[in-house]
Amino acid sequence: MSLEDELLRQRADAIGKIEALGFLPYGNRYDYSHTIPEILADHSERTGEDLEANRTSVRICGRIHTIRRMGKAGFSHLAQNGAQLQIYVRKDAVSEKDYELYQLLDLGDIIAAEGYLFRTRTGELSVHVEKLVFLAKTLLSMPEKWHGIEDVELRYRQRYLDLIASPESRQVFLTRAKVIASFRRQLDARGFVEVETPMMQPLYGGAAARPFTTHHNTLDIDLYLRIAPELYLKRLVVGGMERVYEINRNFRNEGVSTQHNPEFTMLEFYQAYTDYEGLMDFSCELLNQTAIDATGSPKVTYLDQALDFSAIQRFTMREAVIEYWPDSASRPMADNVADPDWLLSHSSKSTAGEALVEIFERVAEPKLIQPTIIYRYPVETSPLSKQSLDDPAFTDRFEIYAAGMEIGNAYTELNDPQEQRRRFQMQLAMRERGDEEAHQMDEDYLRAMSYGMPPTGGEGIGIDRLTMILTNSRSIRDVILFPLLRPEGEIGIAERLRALDP
RNA sequence: GGGCCGGUAGCUCAGUCGGUAGAGCAUUUGACUUUUAAUCAAAGGGUCGCGGGUUCGAGUCCCGCCCGGCUCACCA
């Protein structure tokens, strides 16, 4: 018998013994008087004398994280909501049945304890237990208490174990929730309406990416998982929902890396009657406040580098190429980065605009550690953005970079259906030249725009990447609870449980 | 997809030149009524990722495959 089966058998046997003592092996509702974090918040300052003089009774519950048994007494730590509280179980302070239960407990079991607060000889706030309640048994071993889970594969596949074993991981996901809550609060306060648009779409659009394909049986149609909600959100703006936003998943059938997960979460919002300059100012306010709400400060440390979301810098794309050019000897001049011949000679792309973007991504993007807005993007790579009034080769678009990653993308929305049709046709031509990610023609969207769309600014912010930065996480998989992994193969737990079933 | 690194007990990790597979935690038994990585004594526990090959002999060397990490390419 393998060790794991032996442990399983021992614990299954313990369930029987616990039941024989009169406890439910898997308990029901338990009405605690305090959560463990509440007790720590309310009573951590109290002295032992105070606790003795003004006895405080509590009913707490949680998962057992440590057990130290010593003959006729013992200590355990219960964990709940990321905090731990010690309990002290003494043979002469509880019923015989409860003490027998205490002897049968394993690390990882979930119990409740009732008693009063006191301080131990070493000063730790603890519960002097008078009664125990059994709530749930663990059949499998907990991770090692000191190192926790080091195997990242295990952390991603069995996130629940990661959450049990490492408070830091729990904190990452609490911060992620704060990021999302902060955006919602800020947008709601400004009159934005949260909406949900289709994730299964007959045509995909709103970004340059390859989609996932699926099929609806009854309708017998192929559908795409959305690569962006953009075109639906703008239909809503046409319909008079002047400020809308959506926070949800996009799906892109592309590579996996520390910065890419096939499904990822975007905030997209649209505001009628503003433009990209209005959005730049708004973005700075939004990100500053989100950083504060999530971490307590606009200044954060990411991989040993100090980032300040209260001081977001701004460059045009052309300026950024000059600013971040790697060596001063060959540094281009303003005339160079505006010269199609110069651009084409420094890139393998076939148009000046695509070349500028390619050069920018090569020389500047990795160096954009400080939160930075890059604005004015070439028209070729921006099929849905409005052209700049003073230069039709460019669009009124910007992206937000931080820690060398793109975390946001925004522009004045194109609202001229005739121009939108031309852009779609330009994209179709790129598609015919072999660009699989070029935009499709979306006639329903063109039709919507033909009813008149108000001038509008729209923006998308990558929640996962922003959360990486705000939690100092190196990989996007560290901020996604269940990142996509290949299936692990046979687990075998069903068979092992079946073998235990009497 | 390419390159590099990794997969050994439930967990964290050693394993030398190819020669009987180890430690700590966890588990079991015993001692211990304020411990806290509790302590002390003893015991049990292995598909060395999977499959081939070389060899008298493979955790170790060779080949293929699976899973993961980093990185490059692609992308947000």
Side-chain angles (χ1 to χ4, degrees):
Chain A
M1 187 188 254
S2 79
L3 174 61
E4 204 178 3
D5 289 336
E6 196 178 307
L7 295 175
L8 204 57
R9 167 65 64 186
Q10 281 166 10
R11 286 172 189 165
D13 289 348
I15 291 177
K17 291 177 188 164
I18 287 165
E19 215 169 354
L21 287 172
F23 295 96
L24 283 174
Y26 291 94
N28 291 317
R29 160 177 176 160
Y30 181 76
D31 293 316
Y32 51 80
S33 65
H34 307 72
T35 64
I36 287 174
E38 282 167 358
I39 289 181
L40 295 179
D42 294 348
H43 303 285
S44 282
E45 303 303 314
R46 295 178 63 188
T47 63
E49 295 74 44
D50 178 23
L51 290 167
E52 209 169 312
N54 304 289
R55 184 169 281 197
T56 305
S57 291
V58 297
R59 298 188 307 277
I60 62 166
C61 50
R63 189 184 290 276
I64 299 175
H65 273 214
T66 65
I67 299 178
R68 292 176 294 281
R69 278 188 270 258
M70 303 167 304
K72 300 188 181 63
F75 293 88
S76 289
H77 277 102
L78 296 193
Q80 183 186 27
N81 295 342
Q84 294 195 9
L85 183 64
Q86 182 170 258
I87 63 170
Y88 176 52
V89 183
R90 218 166 83 172
K91 194 169 199 291
D92 59 11
V94 298
S95 70
E96 196 174 317
K97 181 186 87 152
D98 285 5
Y99 199 73
E100 279 179 55
L101 171 66
Y102 185 68
Q103 302 300 105
L104 289 169
L105 295 177
D106 285 299
L107 294 180
D109 288 355
I110 295 171
I111 63 166
E114 306 180 3
Y116 54 90
L117 294 174
F118 76 113
R119 279 194 188 277
T120 62
R121 205 165 276 169
T122 50
E124 180 167 345
L125 184 67
S126 306
V127 176
H128 202 290
V129 175
E130 298 168 314
K131 181 171 188 283
L132 288 175
V133 179
F134 191 73
L135 297 176
K137 189 75 189 162
T138 178
L139 291 173
L140 299 172
S141 306
M142 289 294 114
E144 203 241 18
K145 65 186 168 193
W146 194 242
H147 301 89
I149 298 183
E150 297 287 331
D151 181 345
V152 293
E153 184 174 351
L154 208 54
R155 284 176 32 210
Y156 298 155
R157 286 197 198 280
Q158 294 179 259
R159 183 66 83 182
Y160 44 91
L161 276 185
D162 182 36
L163 291 170
I164 290 169
S166 48
E168 319 82 58
S169 179
R170 177 191 174 88
Q171 194 53 48
V172 164
F173 293 103
L174 295 186
T175 301
R176 182 183 173 114
K178 286 182 190 169
V179 168
I180 292 170
S182 175
F183 279 127
R184 281 214 168 93
R185 192 162 48 240
Q186 294 184 74
L187 289 162
D188 291 347
R190 288 169 171 86
F192 284 80
V193 176
E194 182 170 9
V195 296
E196 292 146 289
T197 62
M199 292 208 186
M200 296 194 293
Q201 306 178 345
L203 287 176
Y204 60 95
R210 288 153 64 193
F212 288 92
T213 308
T214 187
H215 186 80
H216 188 279
N217 289 337
T218 314
L219 297 181
D220 191 25
I221 50 171
D222 284 336
L223 292 165
Y224 301 103
L225 299 189
R226 76 175 181 199
I227 58 174
E230 170 153 356
L231 300 185
Y232 284 94
L233 291 171
K234 285 194 283 197
R235 284 171 171 92
L236 296 178
V237 176
V238 169
M241 299 188 85
E242 293 187 354
R243 296 185 177 201
V244 291
Y245 72 97
E246 179 162 7
I247 300 177
N248 221 316
R249 239 64 66 77
N250 292 339
F251 307 87
R252 299 189 185 172
N253 203 341
E254 286 163 352
V256 174
S257 80
T258 48
Q259 293 167 33
H260 301 83
N261 194 63
E263 57 176 311
F264 64 102
T265 300
M266 284 263 287
L267 159 66
E268 277 203 23
F269 60 90
Y270 291 82
Q271 177 177 343
Y273 306 113
T274 191
D275 65 4
Y276 82 126
E277 289 183 313
L279 290 182
M280 281 194 216
D281 296 336
F282 184 30
S283 299
C284 291
E285 284 177 44
L286 265 181
L287 288 171
N288 181 55
Q289 189 59 46
T290 301
I292 292 170
D293 289 343
T295 71
S297 166
K299 295 185 167 72
V300 301
T301 301
Y302 185 70
L303 307 181
D304 295 328
Q305 309 199 69
L307 275 60
D308 186 354
F309 281 97
S310 67
I312 299 179
Q313 10 174 39
R314 302 184 190 189
F315 294 106
T316 65
M317 181 173 280
R318 284 169 171 173
E319 287 166 356
V321 167
I322 297 170
E323 174 77 17
Y324 293 100
W325 195 262
D327 78 293
S328 49
S330 62
R331 185 187 302 277
M333 313 284 282
D335 287 347
N336 295 135
V337 292
D339 173 10
D341 291 334
W342 185 90
L343 292 168
L344 289 168
S345 70
H346 286 80
S347 167
S348 58
K349 296 291 182 180
S350 53
T351 69
E354 289 172 284
L356 174 62
V357 171
E358 195 268 328
I359 294 166
F360 162 77
E361 286 176 351
R362 194 174 65 230
V363 310
E365 181 171 347
K367 294 183 183 161
L368 298 176
I369 304 301
Q370 275 306 312
T372 305
I373 284 174
I374 300 293
Y375 61 103
R376 305 268 278 188
Y377 276 62
V379 68
E380 296 93 320
T381 59
S382 312
L384 303 163
S385 319
K386 198 166 203 164
Q387 276 156 301
S388 306
L389 275 176
D390 58 357
D391 185 351
F394 280 81
T395 59
D396 288 345
R397 173 182 178 190
F398 68 90
E399 293 197 347
I400 307 166
Y401 289 86
M405 294 185 288
E406 181 190 335
I407 60 171
N409 179 21
Y411 36 87
T412 306
E413 301 298 338
L414 181 54
N415 64 339
D416 172 353
Q418 198 60 267
E419 174 62 15
Q420 183 66 70
R421 175 193 56 83
R422 286 193 289 269
R423 298 286 187 88
F424 277 149
Q425 280 171 344
M426 186 157 90
Q427 291 288 312
L428 289 179
M430 288 166 71
R431 182 170 279 268
E432 275 166 28
R433 289 205 306 272
D435 185 347
E436 282 184 74
E437 294 176 351
H439 216 282
Q440 293 181 304
M441 171 70 74
D442 188 335
E443 285 215 78
D444 179 68
Y445 176 65
L446 269 185
R447 177 171 61 184
M449 194 175 285
S450 298
Y451 282 100
M453 182 167 105
T456 298
E459 177 162 342
I461 293 178
I463 298 293
D464 312 273
R465 288 182 177 179
L466 180 60
T467 302
M468 284 172 67
I469 293 168
L470 296 178
T471 58
N472 198 20
S473 299
R474 194 177 286 275
S475 169
I476 201 168
R477 289 184 286 275
D478 295 325
V479 302
I480 292 173
L481 282 165
F482 299 100
L484 185 69
L485 299 177
R486 287 195 146 89
E488 64 180 312
E490 204 58 45
I491 296 171
I493 188 73
E495 176 54 35
R496 286 160 56 209
L497 288 175
R498 203 178 59 78
L500 289 177
D501 204 6

